[in-house]
Amino acid sequence: MSQLFRPLQLRDLTIRNRAWVSPMCQYSATDGVPTDWHLVHLGSRAVGGAGLVMAEATAVVPEGRISYGDLGLWNATQQAAFERIAAFIAAQGAVPAIQLAHAGRKASTNLPWLGGAPLPPGSPHGWQPLGPSPVAFDAASTVPTELDEAALDNIIAAFVAAAQRALAAGFKVAEIHSAHGYLLHEFLSPLSNRRTDRYGGSLANRMRFPLAVAAAVRAVWPQQLPLFVRISASDWLDGGWDITQSIAYAADLKKLGVDLIDCSSGGLAPGAQIPNQPGYQVPFAAAIRRETGIATGAVGLITEAVQAEAIIANGDADAIFLARAMLRDPYWAARGAQQLGAEFDWPRQYGRAKLA
C-alpha cells in the first residue's frame, strides 16, 4: 500500500492522503479580498486529488502584507469571500487550510511581475514596515519601526481574530507563518532580533513572542482541529537560526498543542548559501520529527511521486507540501496515485478521465 496515499489522522481530522498543496502567494487580491483567481487556483488542486489545500500567506493586519496584492483576513468582507473557497475545497474531499501571517520588515513591496522592489512609506501602495528591531532586510529596504509591547499585544490579538474568521469561513486547519524572514521568524533569529528586553537575547527570549502567538491561536482554535506552524529550520547564515534552535522551538510548540511543523528554511536575509537540490530540506523535517515526536511536513524541490513516497515510507516526515510541482500540474496527486498504484476517485464530472 502506498504510504503517500495513506490517510493521516490529526486530532479529529482525517486527511485523505499526504500530498498537500503548500501555501503559495498569488499577489492577486484586492484590498486583501480573495478573487475568482484564488477559487480556481486552490479549487483545481482539490479536484486534482490533494489531501490538504492551503491558502497562501494571509495577513492578519493590512501592514502585515508582503505586497498590496496579498490576501488578508482582518475584516468580514475578506471572511465572506473565503467562505466559498473553503466550501469548494471541502466539497472535493480535500481539507481547506489557511496560513496566517505577518510580513514584518519584509512588508510593503511591489508585485513580483512589477519587479518586487520595496515600496517606501508615502509612495503609491507603500507603507511603513514593522519589526523586532530597526534592522532593514537589505540596503534597498525601509528600516522597520521597532515594535513595542503594546504593538506586540495588538498583533497577537490580530492573529487570534484572523483565526476566528478563518474558522467561521470554513477552514479546518490553521497554520501560523513563522518562516521565510517574516515577522515571527525575525523575532527568532539573532540576525534580525537585536532587542535587549525580554523579547531579545537568549533563545527563550527570542522564542517568547512567536510562542505567545501560537498559544493565543491554539486557545481559540477548536480542540478537535489541528494547528500547524511553518518554520525556517535554518537561516543558512553564520550566527543565525539553525536546526538545534528549531528543535527546541518545535518542542515548545508541541507543548502548546501545535500538531505539525511545516519545515522550510531560509528567507531571513540576503547572502544565504542554500543547497538547492532535490529534498534538501527533508533532513530538517526528519530531525524535528525524531527529536520531538511531533508530526512534520517536508517541502522543497520534491517533484516526483516516488520521491515523496520514499520520504514518507522512511519516516522522515508525515506529509509532503508541494509548491512548484503543484503549480505545474494541478493533478499531481491524481498522477502520483496512478504511478504508485493507489486508489483515486475522480470527480463524477471527470468519470471518463484516464491518465496517460
Side-chain angles (χ1 to χ4, degrees):
M1 177 181 179
S2 167
Q3 297 302 298
L4 182 64
F5 288 92
R6 184 165 53 89
L8 178 63
Q9 181 88 23
L10 292 171
R11 296 192 182 242
D12 292 350
L13 186 68
T14 300
I15 306 170
R16 64 183 175 185
N17 62 50
R18 295 145 189 264
W20 299 352
V21 177
S22 194
M24 293 174 281
C25 289
Q26 302 295 294
Y27 305 100
S28 298
T30 302
D31 296 326
V33 178
T35 66
D36 286 349
W37 177 266
H38 300 92
L39 174 66
V40 175
H41 163 66
L42 297 168
S44 61
R45 282 138 188 97
V47 170
L52 178 145
V53 178
M54 188 172 292
E56 67 200 68
T58 301
V60 300
V61 289
E63 62 273 18
R65 293 173 294 170
I66 304 165
S67 78
Y68 58 89
D70 283 26
L71 289 176
L73 198 45
W74 62 81
N75 64 40
T77 301
Q78 296 157 348
Q79 176 186 315
F82 271 118
E83 288 174 6
R84 68 173 183 150
I85 296 173
F88 184 84
I89 292 169
Q92 312 316 307
V95 170
I98 189 167
Q99 185 183 70
L100 304 177
H102 191 302
R105 70 179 186 173
K106 292 177 76 174
S108 189
T109 67
N110 211 337
L111 306 181
W113 47 85
L114 297 178
L119 298 175
S123 65
H125 303 300
W127 60 88
Q128 175 60 40
L130 307 170
S133 303
V135 180
F137 173 71
D138 60 19
S141 297
T142 302
V143 175
T145 298
E146 181 171 311
L147 291 156
D148 61 22
E149 291 214 23
L152 295 180
D153 289 342
N154 289 338
I155 291 172
I156 293 172
F159 269 96
V160 167
Q164 292 171 319
R165 291 190 185 99
L167 182 67
F171 289 100
K172 301 301 182 184
V173 172
E175 177 174 273
I176 297 168
H177 200 349
S178 184
H180 299 165
Y182 300 125
L183 184 64
L184 301 189
H185 183 189
E186 291 164 18
F187 270 88
L188 294 171
S189 177
L191 299 178
S192 48
N193 183 346
R194 309 288 177 81
R195 299 174 76 102
T196 58
D197 63 1
R198 67 194 186 105
Y199 294 101
S202 69
L203 175 60
N205 281 359
R206 286 182 278 115
M207 293 194 301
R208 190 184 306 278
F209 178 62
L211 290 174
V213 171
V217 172
R218 180 72 270 182
V220 300
W221 196 249
Q223 285 301 302
Q224 68 270 25
L225 295 178
L227 176 66
F228 298 176
V229 173
R230 172 165 274 196
I231 70 168
S232 278
S234 174
D235 289 340
W236 301 105
L237 291 163
D238 290 342
W241 186 255
D242 58 24
I243 184 58
T244 301
Q245 295 172 90
S246 294
I247 290 168
Y249 183 40
D252 282 357
L253 289 168
K254 182 183 178 184
K255 292 174 187 174
L256 294 176
V258 170
D259 300 283
L260 182 141
I261 305 297
D262 178 359
C263 300
S264 189
S265 70
L268 184 88
Q273 299 298 309
I274 300 176
N276 287 318
Q277 57 192 21
Y280 71 101
Q281 294 174 147
V282 173
F284 297 138
I288 289 171
R289 188 176 190 266
R290 180 179 64 249
E291 296 299 326
T292 68
I294 197 169
T296 61
V299 64
L301 295 183
I302 300 169
T303 58
E304 303 298 329
V306 291
Q307 178 192 11
E309 174 77 9
I311 292 166
I312 302 298
N314 291 340
D316 291 334
D318 297 272
I320 306 297
F321 284 94
L322 296 143
R324 280 171 281 189
M326 282 283 188
L327 289 182
R328 298 184 190 108
D329 183 3
Y331 300 96
W332 189 98
R335 293 183 185 279
Q338 182 190 44
Q339 291 165 10
L340 298 172
E343 291 291 327
F344 177 74
D345 293 327
W346 283 95
R348 59 176 178 258
Q349 295 91 337
Y350 292 179
R352 296 185 213 128
K354 299 292 183 184
L355 291 176

